[in-house]
Amino acid sequence: MEYTERLQHVTVLGAAGKMGSGILLLTAIEMADLSLKPENKGKQFVMNAMDVSDMALSGLMSYLKVQVQKAAEKKVGLLRSVYENRADLVDNGEIIDQYVFDVLSIVRPTVCIEAAYQSTMIFEAIKEDPELKIKIFSHINQNNKKEPWFFTNTSSIPITKLDTEAKLNGRIIGFHFYNPPAVQKLAELIKAESTLKEVEEFALAYAKSLKKVVVPSHDFAGFIGNGHFMRDALHGISEVERLTKNFGYTEALYIINKVSQDFLIRPMGIFQLIDYVGIDVCQYIMKVMNADVKDEEIHSPLLDKFIGLNVKGGQNSDGSQKDGFLKYEKGRPVAIYDINKKSYAAIAEFQAKCDDALGKPPASLQPWKTVIGNPKKEEVFRKYFGDLKSLETLGAQLSKKYAARSKEIGQNLVKDKVAFTENDVNTVLLTGFFHAYGPINDYL
Amino acid sequence: MTKLRRKVYMIAGYNTISMGTGRKEFNPKKERPGLEEYIKEAGQGVLKMIGGAKNVDEAVIGNFIASRFNRQGNLAGFIPYIDEGLRYIPCTRVEGACGSGALALAAGIKSVLAETADVVLVIGVEVQNTVKAIYGADILAAAGWAKERKNGHAYFFPGKFSDRAKAYQAKFDAVKTRKAMARWYRNAIENARLCPTAQEFHNTTEDLDAVGMTPPNPKGFVDSLNVFDCSKVSDGASAIAIVSEEGLKKTGIPKSEAVEIIGFGMAEDDITRTPADLTILATTRTAVKKAFESAGITKDQLGTVECHDCFTIAGILATEAIGFAEHGKGPDYVLAGKTARDGEVPFNTTGGLVGWGHPTGATGVHQAVTILEQLTGKAEANQIKIKPERPYGLSINMGGDDKTLVSIVYKKAE
């Protein structure tokens, strides 16, 4: 079965979710672009957008319309040649509208799993729950005579486990998009021991067409991205616990969040990142990973406490941030959740005191926003971390320790055969987490 | 027609800010003033200087395509909205794409010449930031022949002038031409930085030459122009009063604050016709020649020029169309600094279309306001020295791809 034929009947499971909607968007555009090629005239392309809620699916269609329009606006020059034989389409506006219609008209929103029985490709982006995934995969597989291929977006569950337990005979691969899929360039590709060669080849062709940077990862729980992120988060949490004795909990959390963002020149502090991903999602991923690691405890009682209090972070359907460790106003953290008082404490109340305790960062510090686009950023980091090295303020100590741990986590991922190379680890952090520099470096 | 049969003056110029990307206060997501606010601001600006609405006999408004940018036609109806005192006076709206502004000036001049009015209020306006650039390109494409739109570039007019740049670079020194386009950009921004109403007034780029030399990106934009070669998407209005000798007296404005219209030339070419030679602005050349004949002057008497640099290449071609440089030597003329503000003939001293902005229907009027200010010594930070042997100013306003042309010769009133 050729690439195009394989993409003629597709189902996205969990299509209305944050990841699913992005995967659906990219894949529906890819399918529409194929359908508009002269050699594919007359061929039917069907994309089932499957989810459990009709309401969420109608929200999905609004999201798709807006996003496809944006995509069309960006490539209108190309679209003018695609529709060059349509005399009725003259203005950019008419061409863009037609393209939006052509993409949306292959999408069939549905809550009925039966629709997937006809699909040759299944993209899965449902809850990070191994049992649920296995149940659905095996159900579809038993009822679908086309021997479909399964692309799972799991960020932590070993693919071999899914393959074996759902009895897919190697018709599965881990294709892990980063959030949001339409924007993030990175995809982690994870083969099970049994993954068929043609499935992998298709995945690479699909990734290339979507202009994704593919980093292969060994099939080990958490893979590279979460393998780093979860341990990085646990380091942050343990540092908060250590500092709580001297500063109090909310102050300690503020300090570590600030160190992991400002002092380490990252796009977000570690607790903001946990909130962004969702405290519940992080808890799930840790649980999955913990089952597979030896001599290591990947678990945080603090996250459990938050879930117990129903403070979960994550995002609203419009993409805005829900409150979690931090409370947000216009996307910016303004307060920190005090687990003892069960309420948010305004950052402004203790910010000055904490900043004083941290001490001033070296003058060579440049914010992430400034440095990320600088082609000579390597020099900036070398200077900054060089200056940091000789500084003994609390801020400098904490950030040096944090950076060293981040590097160690990265190196262990290679040593433990999760990542193939150190460079792959750095690529994942640079492209999937928007870090401005890779954790495995010799700056310190 | 040669010499004008009656004295005609321009006085009391007013420009709104040219609003759009580049201005600090511009936020595409926030609500902004509409067409009517721009017309009102510019109109009232002039009325205040000329003693109020009671002194206005007639008004002309130039606008390209508010019918699509703003869903608004019948723009003459906004003249009385400026001031109640303008209700029931004769008002006309004229359209000639990006040349609408100077067509409005020409209509005003003709009314004074015909003795049907002593004071004509002329306004040019366009509010274009109502749609994204990719849809604005559809609207602006109406300045060309609609039947060419289907096979045209997504960015239709940048595509047209990219073709001109490409042809010029193929025929003459490509690298030098590119450098001259970058220099044109630098001159435009440096002039705009001195003018508080200019769209590029807040521009702080250090190395303008380097930015101007950005290689074109055919995949994302057009083959032979970068985005800095292009005038901007602008909202703005300009206004001025055109008066007879009697009108001047009526408004109470002294001659020292007026320019006299010494002559003007208009020319139109067939919109369905492809230019015979893309490296020449033939209609522009004709209109300028007519303006010189009408005024009885030569290019060597020009102290300043406002030309229609909708794209940097159009500026370079204009230096040749006027006759300052031989065909193929425009880039040398620009690179030698002759068009810079301290050069032989300073061009586009408030930034031109690239630097000040290009609210299409307003541009022709804005050019007249700039020349009025320069020749009467009121250009403030933008002021250039007008040498006694070069007392004349020239404006060239173009609609479409060298189709609708108005060129005017000005001199400080005596």
Side-chain angles (χ1 to χ4, degrees):
Chain A
M1 195 181 275
E2 300 260 323
Y3 182 79
T4 302
E5 204 184 333
R6 180 66 56 190
L7 279 172
Q8 274 184 258
H9 208 297
V10 177
T11 296
V12 173
L13 305 171
K18 179 96 187 161
M19 298 303 288
S21 56
I23 295 168
L24 179 86
L25 168 72
L26 296 173
T27 312
I29 286 176
E30 172 73 357
M31 291 164 71
D33 287 348
L34 289 170
S35 79
L36 289 166
K37 288 189 173 170
E39 65 266 30
N40 293 329
K41 207 176 172 193
K43 286 184 189 162
Q44 280 299 307
F45 286 80
V46 174
M47 161 64 92
N48 294 314
M50 192 175 295
D51 213 296
V52 291
S53 141
D54 278 317
M55 202 209 268
L57 283 171
S58 70
L60 169 71
M61 295 312 283
S62 311
Y63 163 82
L64 276 184
K65 184 172 180 287
V66 172
Q67 296 301 319
V68 176
Q69 179 164 349
K70 277 188 189 164
E73 286 167 356
K74 275 190 197 152
K75 60 177 181 182
V76 68
L78 176 74
L79 294 176
R80 289 188 76 88
S81 56
V82 168
Y83 293 108
E84 67 183 345
N85 294 323
R86 287 280 303 269
D88 59 321
L89 304 176
V90 178
D91 274 351
N92 294 333
E94 292 165 331
I95 284 163
I96 289 164
D97 286 350
Q98 181 65 45
Y99 184 71
V100 171
F101 177 80
D102 286 345
V103 175
L104 292 194
S105 60
I106 65 171
V107 178
R108 319 283 152 86
T110 178
V111 292
C112 302
I113 192 136
E114 288 80 0
Y117 298 169
Q118 301 300 320
S119 289
T120 45
M121 279 293 303
I122 312 287
F123 286 87
E124 172 271 312
I126 61 172
K127 200 173 167 188
E128 195 69 347
D129 176 345
E131 301 319 313
L132 183 65
K133 287 187 202 260
I134 290 163
K135 193 176 132 197
I136 292 180
F137 285 172
S138 111
H139 181 78
I140 293 173
N141 194 43
Q142 281 165 23
N143 290 286
N144 183 325
K145 297 201 174 71
K146 296 186 173 172
E147 299 199 319
W149 292 358
F150 293 83
F151 273 39
T152 171
N153 190 54
T154 180
S155 61
S156 59
I157 305 166
I159 311 303
T160 304
K161 176 185 166 84
L162 296 173
D163 185 37
T164 314
E165 296 189 22
K167 299 194 176 66
L168 303 177
N169 299 322
R171 281 181 283 107
I172 184 168
I173 200 162
F175 198 101
H176 178 216
F177 287 89
Y178 273 69
N179 184 9
V183 178
Q184 295 268 35
K185 284 272 163 257
L186 179 70
E188 272 180 292
L189 193 67
I190 311 105
K191 283 193 288 179
E193 287 158 22
S194 52
T195 294
L196 300 173
K197 195 164 183 344
E198 54 266 39
V199 175
E200 187 194 4
E201 284 166 0
F202 176 90
L204 290 171
Y206 170 78
K208 194 177 168 199
S209 198
L210 266 58
K211 297 193 177 71
K212 295 292 177 197
V213 176
V214 172
V215 173
S217 166
H218 285 291
D219 189 19
F220 192 88
F223 316 127
I224 301 172
N226 281 329
H228 187 278
F229 171 34
M230 292 304 141
R231 291 177 176 95
D232 202 53
L234 286 173
H235 173 72
I237 292 167
S238 78
E239 287 288 87
V240 169
E241 283 161 355
R242 189 171 65 83
L243 291 179
T244 296
K245 289 163 210 149
N246 290 338
F247 290 91
Y249 165 76
T250 46
E251 287 84 346
L253 198 127
Y254 167 80
I255 286 172
I256 294 302
N257 198 58
K258 185 183 169 84
V259 164
S260 56
Q261 176 169 16
D262 295 353
F263 282 69
L264 290 183
I265 318 182
R266 290 183 178 182
M268 285 183 189
I270 190 68
F271 292 98
Q272 189 179 355
L273 181 60
I274 296 173
D275 284 348
Y276 178 78
V277 172
I279 300 173
D280 50 348
V281 176
C282 291
Q283 186 195 35
Y284 245 111
I285 294 170
M286 285 189 186
K287 194 176 149 196
V288 170
M289 286 173 65
N290 208 30
D292 275 35
V293 293
K294 286 174 200 136
D295 313 322
E296 196 181 358
E297 178 73 2
I298 300 188
H299 172 238
S300 162
L302 183 64
L303 294 195
D304 297 346
K305 260 189 220 167
F306 269 82
I307 300 301
L309 293 164
N310 204 28
V311 178
K312 292 180 180 169
Q315 282 147 65
N316 294 307
S317 56
D318 65 355
S320 61
Q321 181 64 49
K322 287 185 196 168
D323 296 338
F325 278 102
L326 307 162
K327 183 184 163 115
Y328 301 87
E329 270 172 23
K330 291 180 183 164
R332 287 191 183 168
V334 291
I336 292 174
Y337 193 76
D338 187 330
I339 32 170
N340 304 314
K341 291 184 185 157
K342 298 190 179 53
S343 62
Y344 284 93
I347 288 173
E349 285 172 21
F350 45 80
Q351 184 169 18
K353 188 183 90 182
C354 294
D355 288 351
D356 276 352
L358 279 170
K360 279 206 167 62
S364 54
L365 173 73
Q366 290 187 23
W368 174 84
K369 230 181 190 172
T370 316
V371 84
I372 186 76
N374 183 349
K376 290 181 185 166
K377 59 184 179 181
E378 170 87 25
E379 289 168 29
V380 177
F381 293 129
R382 217 161 269 292
K383 171 88 173 79
Y384 169 69
F385 284 107
D387 292 347
L388 198 66
K389 219 176 196 173
S390 54
L391 212 61
E392 281 308 322
T393 58
L394 176 65
Q397 285 172 23
L398 291 172
S399 37
K400 280 186 276 189
K401 190 175 169 193
Y402 213 110
R405 174 60 187 151
S406 177
K407 180 177 179 177
E408 181 188 39
I409 294 168
Q411 287 171 326
N412 285 345
L413 287 169
V414 181
K415 204 170 78 192
D416 297 341
K417 296 205 164 44
V418 177
F420 286 89
T421 66
E422 290 189 344
N423 192 39
D424 282 351
V425 175
N426 283 345
T427 304
V428 168
L429 272 297
L430 287 165
T431 53
F433 289 81
F434 282 121
H435 283 197
Y437 58 94
I440 306 178
N441 58 63
D442 60 357
Y443 298 147
L444 277 170
Chain B
M1 182 187 76
T2 51
K3 214 170 157 51
L4 307 189
R5 62 174 69 123
R6 194 182 180 208
K7 290 226 181 230
V8 183
Y9 302 93
M10 285 195 196
I11 51 170
Y14 185 94
N15 299 313
T16 69
I17 284 170
S18 176
M19 187 58 71
T21 55
R23 292 289 308 190
K24 277 183 189 162
E25 64 271 52
F26 178 70
N27 180 347
K29 287 181 184 153
K30 285 203 177 142
E31 209 180 328
R32 293 178 302 278
L35 194 64
E36 44 282 78
E37 281 83 15
Y38 278 101
I39 296 170
K40 192 171 220 169
E41 182 191 338
Q44 288 186 341
V46 172
L47 293 185
K48 220 169 155 184
M49 290 181 254
I50 63 169
K54 65 175 193 308
N55 287 334
V56 178
D57 299 321
E58 185 185 336
V60 186
I61 183 163
N63 170 265
F64 174 15
I65 196 156
S67 56
R68 289 192 68 191
F69 276 121
N70 321 95
R71 296 190 178 88
Q72 182 65 60
N74 203 6
L75 293 196
F78 287 101
I79 301 288
Y81 172 75
I82 296 167
D83 188 299
E84 241 193 67
L86 298 176
R87 286 177 80 189
Y88 311 126
I89 67 163
C91 293
T92 312
R93 177 258 177 95
V94 297
E95 188 265 312
C98 308
S100 302
L103 275 189
L105 294 175
I109 292 169
K110 286 176 179 183
S111 191
V112 172
L113 287 174
E115 301 186 33
T116 52
D118 285 314
V119 176
V120 183
L121 173 64
V122 177
I123 296 178
V125 68
E126 208 79 52
V127 173
Q128 301 177 280
N129 283 294
T130 51
V131 296
K132 285 186 185 175
I134 192 69
Y135 304 107
D138 286 334
I139 297 175
L140 297 172
W145 186 23
K147 285 197 174 156
E148 283 188 351
R149 177 64 184 127
K150 175 66 184 170
N151 295 323
H153 196 281
Y155 288 97
F156 187 78
F157 265 90
K160 285 275 176 200
F161 280 83
S162 166
D163 290 348
R164 283 188 179 273
K166 192 189 266 181
Y168 197 93
Q169 287 183 294
K171 195 166 181 178
F172 304 109
D173 187 333
V175 176
K176 192 188 278 178
T177 306
R178 180 68 255 164
K179 281 185 186 159
M181 286 156 77
R183 175 66 64 83
W184 191 278
Y185 170 74
R186 189 182 97 188
N187 289 347
I189 303 304
E190 284 177 351
N191 284 335
R193 280 174 180 168
L194 302 170
C195 180
T197 55
Q199 201 163 332
E200 291 289 350
F201 179 61
H202 299 130
N203 186 312
T204 54
T205 307
E206 278 175 30
D207 194 345
L208 290 168
D209 281 313
V211 170
M213 287 300 287
T214 307
N217 169 15
K219 226 173 152 193
F221 191 44
V222 292
D223 291 351
S224 302
L225 299 176
N226 62 41
V227 292
F228 307 101
D229 288 318
C230 306
S231 52
K232 314 203 81 179
V233 175
S234 318
D235 299 348
S238 292
I240 203 163
I242 300 179
V243 299
S244 64
E245 199 85 48
E246 293 73 22
L248 201 56
K249 277 184 203 134
K250 192 157 80 166
T251 60
I253 288 189
K255 273 203 176 158
S256 60
E257 291 176 21
V259 286
E260 185 184 344
I261 305 306
I262 307 298
F264 69 105
M266 297 172 71
E268 190 76 39
D269 195 13
D270 177 355
I271 197 169
T272 70
R273 194 185 286 263
T274 308
D277 183 343
L278 287 174
T279 64
I280 295 171
L281 294 177
T283 318
T284 301
R285 195 172 57 190
T286 308
V288 171
K289 191 164 167 265
K290 287 185 185 184
F292 283 163
E293 280 169 12
S294 162
I297 66 154
T298 70
K299 65 173 188 346
D300 300 321
Q301 292 168 279
L302 291 177
T304 185
V305 174
E306 289 294 306
C307 78
H308 196 92
D309 62 336
C310 44
F311 302 93
T312 54
I313 186 68
I316 294 167
L317 296 183
T319 64
E320 298 180 9
I322 299 166
F324 285 124
E326 282 171 40
H327 187 35
K329 298 287 181 197
D332 297 279
Y333 188 76
V334 173
L335 285 170
K338 309 259 191 188
T339 61
R341 59 182 302 101
D342 56 354
E344 184 176 82
V345 186
F347 269 59
N348 296 10
T349 56
T350 52
L353 285 62
V354 168
W356 190 79
H358 185 25
T360 45
T363 290
V365 182
H366 170 254
Q367 292 175 325
V369 174
T370 294
I371 291 190
L372 167 66
E373 287 170 350
Q374 288 292 8
L375 297 186
T376 56
K378 302 227 161 183
E380 299 182 356
N382 284 106
Q383 188 65 51
I384 52 161
K385 195 170 162 23
I386 301 292
K387 297 173 204 132
E389 67 276 21
R390 288 177 169 274
Y392 297 95
L394 176 79
S395 66
I396 304 169
N397 188 201
M398 173 168 78
D401 182 8
D402 197 35
K403 297 303 180 199
T404 303
L405 265 298
V406 178
S407 182
I408 303 173
V409 176
Y410 315 71
K411 187 172 180 264
K412 189 176 177 183
E414 283 166 0

